[in-house]
Amino acid sequence: MGLQNQNLSFQMKGYNITTLNEFIIRRQANIPYAKGELSNLLHHIGIAAKVVHKKVNKAGLVDVLGEAGNVNIQGEHQQKLDVFADMQFTAALKDSGECCGIASEEDQEIITFEDELSLDGKYIVCMDPLDGSSNINVNVSIGTIFSIYRRISPRGEKAQLIDFLQEGNKQIAAGYIIYGSSTMLVYTTGMGVNGFTLDTGIGEFCLSHPDIKTPQDGNIYSVNEGNYNNFSEGVKKYIKYCQDKDKETKRPYTARYIGSLVADFHRNLLKGGIFIYPQTAKAPKGKLRLLYECNPIAYIAEQAGGKATDGEQRILDLKPESLHQRVPFYTGSTKMIDKAEEFLKKYK
Ligand code: AHM
Ligand code: MG
């Protein structure tokens, strides 16, 4: 039996698997005039995710743990895996031929791709190639975050900074990969959120979490409480509210904080909860970066029926001023965000 016929017979016997690529192509078929450029870009992100997954899974066995010996733009010591993931995603985006430039947490300036194919690329990508760096060396979940925009500058020319400083509400697609007890890719193109788990047996991301909807309310709060003394009065009071006993609102809530945004967000997305990284005395503008951490996560949160704000304004409506801009970040179940904002307003 030829390979094609064998595949057909697997399907006929009821192997009901939808791979990431099949899903992307089916979605594309629903969009009139789509030429497959975004599909191709997402496909390449999927490939890089598999390569990084493989490396992350071997951490401890091969020499990928520890510091790379450089300090990045954020003043953080780059880990070997930070550098590896940055290289893999950069190479995959360049290879796609659909992307004319990227902004990465690991690089001070934008990187432009200047081969003929890429210059004509319609998209730019902002990314945090390896999020949760402090957890790399201790076998705790880490992630990759990406955000895709249509370029503003003319096709055929070099990508410009203005292509990257677009409001989050202009995102075409966003997603994350979580390297956890299994590896998952979760993404949105503005038509809901879908999650794919990597089946390592066949080397494919398979649809495992279709049309994710986050609970409107929850009982998990996620914040680095080690910073408590440096929080504003409103945040302190909200944390106390989370800890107070109240039967009707099922309090006290449960505290869960991993220290990897992707993992903390992913858990709360599925279970219901609130993630907070507010301003602190040490980080007066917050810690997390608007372009490649908050915007993509905010887009996914909203597409799943949740919310994301800086404590007052919708994250997706903030006008970026610089590549590595930081913002306070509140995201998760709508009712919990509303309650937190009530406290911020009251104790402003
Ligand atoms: P990174 O991109 O250098 O890994 O930093 C971002 C991470 C987020 O994943 C996480 O939410 C936050 O930093 C944790 O910070 P802290 O250790 O201050 O709680
Ligand atoms: Mg990060």
Side-chain angles (χ1 to χ4, degrees):
M1 200 190 291
L3 194 58
Q4 257 182 349
N5 290 343
Q6 258 182 35
N7 287 341
L8 191 65
S9 97
F10 281 153
Q11 280 166 19
M12 286 164 69
K13 281 184 189 152
Y15 286 78
N16 197 8
I17 293 172
T18 303
T19 66
L20 175 65
N21 284 342
E22 281 171 337
F23 186 88
I24 291 170
I25 289 164
R26 269 188 226 160
R27 276 287 156 104
Q28 182 197 318
N30 294 335
I31 306 170
Y33 313 117
K35 293 195 195 122
E37 292 148 323
L38 180 63
S39 302
N40 188 30
L41 190 57
L42 290 168
H43 165 72
H44 277 79
I45 289 175
I47 294 176
K50 286 188 224 174
V51 177
V52 173
H53 154 88
K54 212 164 159 219
K55 203 60 142 192
V56 168
N57 258 247
K58 284 202 181 140
L61 294 174
V62 294
D63 185 28
V64 289
L65 294 181
E67 290 180 6
N70 326 314
V71 174
N72 70 7
I73 158 80
Q74 330 280 341
E76 299 155 348
H77 289 275
Q78 280 184 310
Q79 304 291 309
K80 286 180 191 160
L81 266 178
D82 282 326
V83 176
F84 179 81
D86 193 37
M87 275 167 53
Q88 290 306 320
F89 280 96
T90 305
L93 292 166
K94 184 170 188 294
D95 279 357
S96 75
E98 313 291 357
C99 175
C100 58
I102 60 168
S104 164
E105 176 179 335
E106 302 304 330
D107 303 298
Q108 180 158 7
E109 308 290 346
I110 59 168
I111 294 178
T112 55
F113 301 142
E114 295 175 27
D115 57 290
E116 206 181 321
L117 202 60
S118 304
L119 279 176
D120 199 39
K122 218 173 155 173
Y123 299 106
I124 62 100
V125 175
C126 303
M127 65 169 180
D128 181 353
L130 222 284
D131 178 63
S133 302
S134 68
N135 284 321
I136 291 177
N137 295 335
V138 287
N139 208 353
V140 173
S141 297
I142 46 184
T144 296
I145 313 175
F146 62 90
S147 165
I148 303 176
Y149 292 82
R150 200 166 281 133
R151 69 187 298 176
I152 296 173
S153 59
R155 284 175 86 167
E157 292 181 13
K158 251 172 69 173
Q160 311 279 330
L161 186 60
I162 47 157
D163 295 320
F164 297 85
L165 299 184
Q166 301 188 55
E167 288 170 14
N169 57 34
K170 304 272 177 1
Q171 287 173 102
I172 298 296
Y176 60 80
I177 297 118
I178 174 168
Y179 311 98
S181 43
S182 60
T183 292
M184 275 189 78
L185 187 151
V186 175
Y187 86 102
T188 182
T189 53
M191 292 182 287
V193 179
N194 290 280
F196 299 79
T197 302
L198 183 62
D199 181 334
T200 50
I202 59 171
E204 293 283 358
F205 280 105
C206 300
L207 182 63
S208 52
H209 295 64
D211 198 18
I212 298 172
K213 291 284 172 239
T214 195
Q216 286 300 292
D217 208 352
N219 67 352
I220 297 174
Y221 75 102
S222 310
V223 58
N224 185 343
E225 280 189 75
N227 294 328
Y228 186 86
N229 288 339
N230 292 321
F231 289 154
S232 68
E233 205 48 26
V235 175
K236 284 180 179 166
K237 287 276 195 300
Y238 177 68
I239 291 175
K240 279 285 162 237
Y241 167 87
C242 293
Q243 297 167 343
D244 284 345
K245 200 169 169 193
D246 178 58
K247 229 176 172 180
E248 201 187 320
T249 49
K250 299 198 180 112
R251 283 179 289 137
Y253 295 152
T254 297
R256 288 283 182 275
Y257 190 74
I258 296 169
S260 291
L261 170 64
V262 168
D264 279 310
F265 174 76
H266 183 71
R267 179 200 53 242
N268 292 2
L269 177 75
L270 299 183
K271 292 187 152 189
I274 182 169
F275 173 91
I276 304 177
Y277 209 112
Q279 299 148 284
T280 65
K282 201 171 125 200
K285 291 184 176 159
K287 175 183 180 187
L288 299 177
R289 276 60 54 118
L290 177 60
L291 263 59
Y292 43 80
E293 291 176 324
C294 303
N295 269 337
I297 295 290
Y299 192 21
I300 293 168
E302 287 196 5
Q303 282 292 316
K307 242 179 151 173
T309 76
D310 66 356
E312 277 178 42
Q313 294 185 69
R314 184 179 177 226
I315 289 289
L316 296 182
D317 289 339
L318 300 176
K319 177 81 190 112
E321 283 158 12
S322 62
L323 225 44
H324 300 284
Q325 181 176 340
R326 297 173 193 263
V327 279
F329 196 40
Y330 298 73
T331 187
S333 298
T334 299
K335 285 189 180 164
M336 297 179 89
I337 301 292
D338 289 345
K339 183 53 97 182
E341 285 188 345
E342 234 177 84
F343 277 89
L344 297 182
K345 211 169 173 184
K346 189 166 166 195
Y347 295 97
K348 202 171 176 178

